[in-house]
Structures are given as C-alpha cells and as structure tokens.
Amino acid sequence: MHTEQLAIRDLIMQWQTASAAGDVDSLLNLMEDDVVFLVADSAPMRGRQQFADTLRAVLNTHSISSQSDIQEIEIADDLAYSWSWLKVEITPKHPEQGGKTIRRSGHVLSVWRRQTDNSWRIYRDANMLGLEA
C-alpha cells in the first residue's frame, strides 16, 4: 500500500478513536473548515462548527463506537477518496433512564484534501448508514 494511502487509513482510525473518546477537538483537526457531511434523510451539515455543535449535543447523552472496513483508498494529486463499510453504535450513557443502543451500518465515501504541510483533511463526506435490524 502506498504511503499516502496508509496516512489516510491512519486518519480513519484516528477518527474512530477520537469519536469513541468523545474528543470533538481532535475530530475538528481532521477536517477542512468548509467540510460538508451528507447524511441520508437530513440536510447537509456544513462546516466544522455545525458538526461540532451537533456532535457535542449527542455526546452529552450518548457514547459512540464504530468499526470501519476500508474498501478502497485512491489518490489523485491533492485529492483522495476513501470508501468504507462503517458500523456505528450510539449508546445512551444512562440506559436506566430509557433508550436503547442505536446500531447503524452502511457505505461511506469520504473526499480528502491535501494540506500545504502534506497532511490530509476530510473535505466532503457522504454516508448511507441505515438502521440495523
């Protein structure tokens, strides 16, 4: 595997680790200021601030864990994409107060942009996660 592909693979793992730890600031460092997240049945989430506000609201009451099975990483100059099969669990922090773990899975396509320091950041992300039975 090419060094650049390994770097993006590592960033995907960093994303999962930071999500599980509830580390929103680390997640923000992995994305462009003008990032756009496309999620089924929702309006596009535009920009790091909207992402941060949305995620912090979820993390107030829930924890998140995820597993990614990376299918493909391709690089063309300063843009790259990754395609993964993602499984996510969103678990209430206080299940005794009601609520069940939500399990979602599906395909995710992320577009990455190379920075001037040669690091990569998420520029666009589209996921098709559906509820698991």
Side-chain angles (χ1 to χ4, degrees):
M1 185 174 288
H2 188 273
T3 304
E4 298 294 322
Q5 291 170 316
L6 289 172
I8 291 172
R9 180 178 290 274
D10 183 56
L11 292 171
I12 293 168
M13 296 302 115
Q14 287 179 39
W15 184 281
Q16 291 177 312
T17 300
S19 293
D23 186 352
V24 177
D25 292 333
S26 288
L27 292 171
L28 295 178
N29 288 329
L30 298 174
M31 65 183 79
E32 295 274 352
D33 288 335
D34 62 345
V35 67
V36 176
F37 291 92
L38 303 173
V39 181
D41 299 328
S42 297
M45 191 179 331
R46 298 179 180 276
R48 290 179 2 166
Q49 190 60 53
Q50 186 179 9
F51 175 88
D53 293 345
T54 301
L55 184 56
R56 284 187 174 114
V58 171
L59 291 172
N60 280 335
T61 57
H62 293 75
S63 60
I64 298 173
S65 64
S66 61
Q67 291 180 310
S68 185
D69 182 8
I70 299 168
Q71 304 293 305
E72 188 172 76
I73 299 173
E74 293 293 330
I75 297 168
D77 297 320
D78 290 340
L79 288 176
Y81 75 84
S82 60
W83 164 34
S84 301
W85 177 262
L86 182 64
K87 293 178 105 177
V88 177
E89 288 188 354
I90 304 168
T91 305
K93 289 184 177 177
H94 304 287
E96 68 279 0
Q97 295 175 357
K100 296 180 181 177
T101 297
I102 299 168
R103 292 176 178 84
R104 294 184 172 268
S105 61
H107 297 279
V108 176
L109 186 68
S110 301
V111 178
W112 302 80
R113 189 158 51 187
R114 187 189 319 265
Q115 307 300 297
T116 56
D117 67 357
N118 284 324
S119 65
W120 293 92
R121 286 192 176 170
I122 293 177
Y123 176 57
R124 299 290 185 261
D125 187 85
N127 77 61
M128 296 172 276
L129 301 183
L131 288 173
E132 291 187 354

